[in-house]
Amino acid sequence: MLNKDIISASLPTLAINDSVFQALQLMGDYHVSHLPVIDNDKYLGLVNEDQLLNVEDDTVSLGSLQSEFSTLAVNASMHFTDAIRMTNEFSLTVIPVTDNESYWIGAISSMDLLKVVGRMYGMEEPGGIIVLELDKRAFSFSEISKLVETNDASITQLNTYFDNTIGILYVTIKINKFEISDIVSTFQRYEYTVKYYFGEEQYENEIKNNYDHLMNYLSI
């Protein structure tokens, strides 16, 4: 999926002649901390709320601040992970999207980007989650998949994250069912370290613990 495919339709833009007050008002209305400034379909830059709040006279035009505009933007034809990287690196609430000549294409809100990431990684699909902790050299997708399938389940999503500070690979697995206690046991039997797991049995165990506490209290 490319950046141009996930442009947010409802985000406003600012003109070079708009005042600081108008910009802050729009940011408040749309619950964002950044907005792009456009002039004749050309992207001039990005202004942020903190920057505008430091302006003593909020009636001045944005043009007077042009030298302070941020030029952050992603290319419309790049993969949307480029927008994720920029959002994380610069804490953006709005990500400008331009073409190769810096002409305005649109913008992506960080909230819409989060929804896309959720859909892409199967977060909306029902099921349990297991997080494994292992040595990077021990990772085998085929073996992990086989162990899940031996419990009449399948992997709907698998993501990895390598922590350089401790040299550990974390493998997050989304399973197509909530009853994952047998799958957890299988991984443990094959000497996998299960860091976390989230499924129906965890919820049931919590209910049982609460019930046991209540019974103990009533028997006092």
Side-chain angles (χ1 to χ4, degrees):
M1 187 176 291
L2 306 181
N3 290 319
K4 64 183 178 181
D5 299 323
I6 56 174
I7 286 175
S8 306
S10 61
L11 286 174
T13 61
L14 297 168
I16 194 71
N17 294 322
D18 286 341
S19 69
V20 169
F21 174 79
Q22 289 173 304
L24 287 171
Q25 191 171 46
L26 269 179
M27 288 179 183
D29 291 343
Y30 284 83
H31 306 291
V32 295
S33 301
H34 304 81
L35 278 177
V37 183
I38 313 300
D39 187 43
N40 292 323
D41 294 325
K42 195 79 171 181
Y43 171 60
L44 300 183
L46 194 68
V47 292
N48 68 73
E49 187 177 37
D50 290 339
Q51 170 191 7
L52 299 182
L53 288 172
N54 287 326
V55 177
E56 292 184 3
D57 183 2
D58 64 6
T59 64
V60 300
S61 71
L62 296 175
S64 64
L65 307 173
Q66 188 167 354
S67 62
E68 301 175 29
F69 290 176
S70 165
T71 57
L72 292 173
V74 295
N75 190 284
S77 299
M78 295 295 289
H79 194 263
F80 81 96
T81 50
D82 197 34
I84 296 174
R85 178 194 59 77
M86 188 170 289
T87 301
N88 290 337
E89 186 173 351
F90 298 100
S91 301
L92 299 180
T93 55
V94 172
I95 306 94
V97 182
T98 64
D99 65 8
N100 293 330
E101 304 298 324
S102 294
Y103 278 97
W104 181 247
I105 302 297
I108 305 167
S109 76
S110 58
M111 292 302 296
D112 286 346
L113 186 59
L114 185 61
K115 292 175 184 177
V116 170
V117 171
R119 289 197 298 270
M120 290 290 291
Y121 289 95
M123 294 300 103
E124 296 179 350
E125 297 296 323
I129 295 175
I130 299 173
V131 180
L132 304 176
E133 179 184 279
L134 62 154
D135 185 275
K136 192 175 184 179
R137 293 167 297 182
F139 173 71
S140 169
F141 174 79
S142 59
E143 181 174 83
I144 290 173
S145 179
K146 182 177 69 175
L147 294 178
V148 171
E149 290 170 359
T150 58
N151 290 278
D152 296 321
S154 60
I155 296 174
T156 58
Q157 188 66 42
L158 184 147
N159 299 293
T160 62
Y161 166 71
F162 183 69
D163 191 332
N164 288 297
T165 59
I166 58 175
I168 293 294
L169 180 70
Y170 294 99
V171 181
T172 302
I173 310 165
K174 186 72 176 291
I175 310 295
N176 67 339
K177 65 180 186 178
F178 284 109
E179 301 83 359
I180 59 174
S181 56
D182 290 345
I183 303 173
V184 171
S185 297
T186 299
F187 279 121
Q188 292 172 335
R189 191 164 62 251
Y190 280 82
E191 299 184 347
Y192 279 86
T193 300
V194 178
K195 183 72 173 177
Y196 309 106
Y197 64 94
F198 308 92
E200 186 174 300
E201 72 286 337
Q202 188 178 58
Y203 174 69
E204 290 174 346
N205 288 340
E206 184 179 353
I207 292 176
K208 184 179 185 302
N209 288 336
N210 290 338
Y211 174 82
D212 290 341
H213 288 317
L214 176 61
M215 292 298 100
N216 290 334
Y217 173 78
L218 292 176
S219 63
I220 293 175

